[in-house]
Amino acid sequence: MSKFWPLIKLLPNKTNFTFVKYARLFGGLSVLLVIGSIFFTVYPADNKCGGLTCGVDFLGGNLIEMSTRPEPVDLAEIRASLNGMGVPDAQVQSYSVPGTDPTGRYHAMAKFGNIEGATATETINQVKAGLTRDLGSQVQFTRTEAVGAAVSGELLQNGIMALVVAIIMMMVYIWFRFEWQFGIGAVIGLFHDVILTFALFAVTGMEFSLTTVAAVLTVIGYSMNDTVVVYDRIRENLRKFKKMPLGELIDLSLNETLSRTIMTGITTLFALIALAVLGGGPLQPFAFALIFGIVVGTYSSIYVAAPVLMIWGVKRGAKDEDLKPIKLGMASRP
């Protein structure tokens, strides 16, 4: 097996990329991306979810999934039917079903509020009856869901709280395992990954739901795992090379962990791409969020979490002098 290994390796055994040399450039790019992501995520501010397209989980309301097979789904006709019934805030879109309808030709999803004076159950029953009348008896309802406004608000608060608590716990873990400088670097990297993932949903208009929150939490875990690997190697090299400049030491550590980072990311992406292509329906936003998060998390481990250490400097050991901070992108090499 070993003789075939060189044929499938993506990187040589030893690399010598100068990551720190471009830390200032990519650091500035990351700042601009974060600022833009915050804008797209919170604008418009008067919306409950800002720029995110929140699902029924967070906004409250009703959801019906239907199939019009063997006739192709007519989204305009469904919208007209809902508007004719006086259904508020109606949103209609097609969705794919792996194996039976990969193009989304025969399946549609409708989201709407409650008809005035009617409960959620009464609204759903009226909508089903109206759609059957307008679309024909071939329409089949495959899923119905109703979430009250109070429940959706609580779910939104709990989802945000879960993200905040996860980031804080990660920072505390890094702080105790390494030093406070590492903890701050890890949190900055995590914030970078989370806000950019939010922006993905704001820009693309993909539905943001509880499933998406689970995806973001998974991204936090993956990003932190990658950051810990890099930090652990930096800590080992701090003990091993006591006179090496910090910039060179970070470059060395990143190069030593690069092959592991890339191979782990690629194998994970293979599974997620299959899930995105074949999963369909509610699983696609989950898969796309993870794919994007893995790419961004790998980038942040290299160009956010590690270079941040150069701003404050780190200690080589209890009996050694501090490794003083240096200017980003100014590391010298012999």
Side-chain angles (χ1 to χ4, degrees):
M1 183 67 181
S2 59
K3 65 180 181 180
F4 297 109
W5 174 243
L7 299 178
I8 62 175
K9 291 190 67 175
L10 298 179
L11 289 173
N13 290 329
K14 184 177 181 180
T15 58
N16 192 32
F17 296 113
T18 54
F19 296 103
V20 171
K21 180 179 179 181
Y22 304 101
R24 180 178 296 176
L25 172 64
F26 285 104
L29 176 63
S30 295
V31 170
L32 293 177
L33 288 175
V34 168
I35 293 174
S37 298
I38 293 175
F39 173 79
F40 286 114
T41 301
V42 303
Y43 181 83
D46 56 348
N47 188 2
K48 183 177 181 180
C49 291
L52 299 173
T53 305
C54 286
V56 175
D57 295 337
F58 295 146
L59 291 179
N62 310 295
L63 179 146
I64 290 180
E65 292 181 356
M66 67 198 82
S67 170
T68 59
R69 190 183 293 273
E71 297 295 329
V73 65
D74 189 336
L75 300 182
E77 186 177 5
I78 296 176
R79 292 190 186 96
S81 177
L82 294 173
N83 292 333
M85 289 182 278
V87 177
D89 303 323
Q91 301 177 17
V92 182
Q93 66 185 74
S94 60
Y95 69 95
S96 61
V97 177
T100 60
D101 186 17
T103 61
R105 185 181 182 189
Y106 303 105
H107 291 80
M109 175 192 304
K111 302 174 186 177
F112 47 89
N114 292 330
I115 298 176
E116 186 176 357
T119 64
T121 302
E122 292 172 345
T123 298
I124 290 176
N125 291 335
Q126 291 182 38
V127 169
K128 285 184 175 181
L131 290 174
T132 302
R133 179 188 66 245
D134 296 335
L135 301 181
S137 58
Q138 82 278 1
V139 63
Q140 297 179 352
F141 302 102
T142 57
R143 175 190 171 198
T144 60
E145 183 178 338
V147 178
V151 174
S152 64
E154 183 178 353
L155 290 175
L156 179 59
Q157 293 177 5
N158 291 342
I160 296 175
M161 184 61 66
L163 296 176
V164 173
V165 170
I167 292 177
I168 292 176
M169 292 181 66
M170 294 294 183
M171 182 185 70
V172 173
Y173 167 73
I174 292 294
W175 194 331
F176 276 96
R177 177 166 178 175
F178 300 97
E179 298 175 17
W180 66 268
Q181 297 97 327
F182 290 87
I184 293 178
V187 168
I188 293 176
L190 288 180
F191 178 78
H192 171 276
D193 300 342
V194 170
I195 195 62
L196 260 63
T197 304
F198 279 2
L200 171 70
F201 283 84
V203 172
T204 61
M206 290 190 296
E207 182 179 279
F208 190 83
S209 62
L210 284 176
T211 303
T212 309
V213 173
V216 175
L217 289 172
T218 306
V219 169
I220 290 176
Y222 182 92
S223 178
M224 179 55 65
N225 178 70
D226 201 29
T227 301
V228 166
V229 171
V230 174
Y231 278 176
D232 201 47
R233 185 56 58 90
I234 290 176
R235 183 174 62 176
E236 291 178 1
N237 287 334
L238 284 172
R239 298 167 179 170
K240 186 185 302 183
F241 305 104
K242 297 183 180 296
K243 301 299 182 180
M244 180 179 292
L246 181 54
E248 294 183 15
L249 190 141
I250 290 177
D251 275 343
L252 175 64
S253 303
L254 290 173
N255 278 287
E256 289 177 344
T257 58
L258 187 61
S259 60
R260 177 264 177 203
T261 298
I262 291 180
M263 293 307 297
T264 302
I266 288 178
T267 53
T268 307
L269 286 175
F270 284 157
L272 291 175
I273 291 173
L275 182 62
V277 174
L278 303 176
L283 288 179
Q284 283 186 338
F286 177 83
F288 285 135
L290 288 180
I291 291 173
F292 181 81
I294 286 175
V295 175
V296 171
T298 301
Y299 163 83
S300 69
S301 296
I302 296 174
Y303 278 114
V304 178
V308 160
L309 298 178
M310 295 190 297
I311 297 177
W312 291 282
V314 292
K315 291 183 178 181
R316 293 185 182 273
K319 297 182 180 180
D320 299 304
E321 295 182 355
D322 291 354
L323 191 57
K324 301 300 183 181
I326 62 175
K327 294 182 179 180
L328 295 179
M330 300 298 291
S332 60
R333 290 184 176 275

